Amino acid sequence: DFKDVMSAEGGRVHVLVRDLLHITEGLHTVHREVMDAIAKDLLALTPRPTLVFTEADMIAQALYPALQAQGLQPGRDIEVVSCNNERPLLAPLRPRPATVDIHAAEIGRKAVQRLIWRIRNPGKPPEVILVEPSMIEADPAMR
């Protein structure tokens, strides 16, 4: 969807797909070697992209040092937009990138409320519950 919308608005999208996440003993990690390969692929694109969109803040956290190792300063040479608004992951990043806040706490709260409702109303039909995301702008003061 991201690619379709960007293309419809006149943007050009390159999808750089890798097996980013690894699970070891229940812990999700992003390997530096994978991020280094993505950063090298970004540099090889002509023209060089002006923005990288990642699907999770943990990926943005791993991407920053990989970009810096290639001589790119996030927020100056290339913008980064991430997802989830996980503050502990974003706090050390300078500048803090823009992120799509999916409102995880609200999703959790609604899930618990829905579970309790379903237990009390087992015969009722399922319903779709939506939580609208919002954009948290990058920290311009850090640039």
Side-chain angles (χ1 to χ4, degrees):
D1 290 343
F2 178 84
K3 183 176 182 178
D4 292 343
V5 171
M6 284 297 286
S7 295
E9 293 295 323
R12 192 170 9 175
V13 177
H14 300 278
V15 180
L16 302 177
V17 178
R18 298 281 192 289
D19 184 16
L20 291 175
L21 299 179
H22 299 275
I23 303 172
T24 305
E25 298 178 13
L27 181 66
H28 289 80
T29 59
V30 179
H31 287 283
R32 176 67 190 262
E33 300 81 29
V34 174
M35 296 313 300
D36 286 342
I38 288 174
K40 287 177 184 175
D41 288 350
L42 284 169
L43 277 175
L45 294 171
T46 305
R48 189 177 73 218
T50 58
L51 181 138
V52 176
F53 178 79
T54 68
E55 69 268 24
D57 295 333
M58 70 181 291
I59 295 169
Q61 187 183 51
L63 180 62
Y64 265 53
L67 291 172
Q68 291 164 337
Q70 296 300 314
L72 296 174
Q73 179 57 43
R76 185 188 70 208
D77 302 319
I78 192 162
E79 294 295 327
V80 176
V81 176
S82 189
C83 283
N84 299 343
N85 195 26
E86 294 181 82
R87 292 180 189 141
L89 298 177
L90 297 173
L93 302 180
R94 298 288 184 262
R96 182 185 41 75
T99 187
V100 177
D101 190 344
I102 63 169
H103 302 287
E106 181 66 16
I107 291 170
R109 194 170 19 264
K110 286 182 181 273
V112 170
Q113 291 169 345
R114 179 52 47 163
L115 178 60
I116 293 168
W117 184 86
R118 295 292 295 161
I119 290 169
R120 293 180 181 157
N121 301 280
K124 298 285 186 180
E127 295 178 355
V128 175
I129 299 173
L130 301 175
V131 176
E132 187 172 345
S134 59
M135 178 65 101
I136 308 296
E137 296 295 326
D139 187 354
M142 299 273 189
R143 293 177 194 269

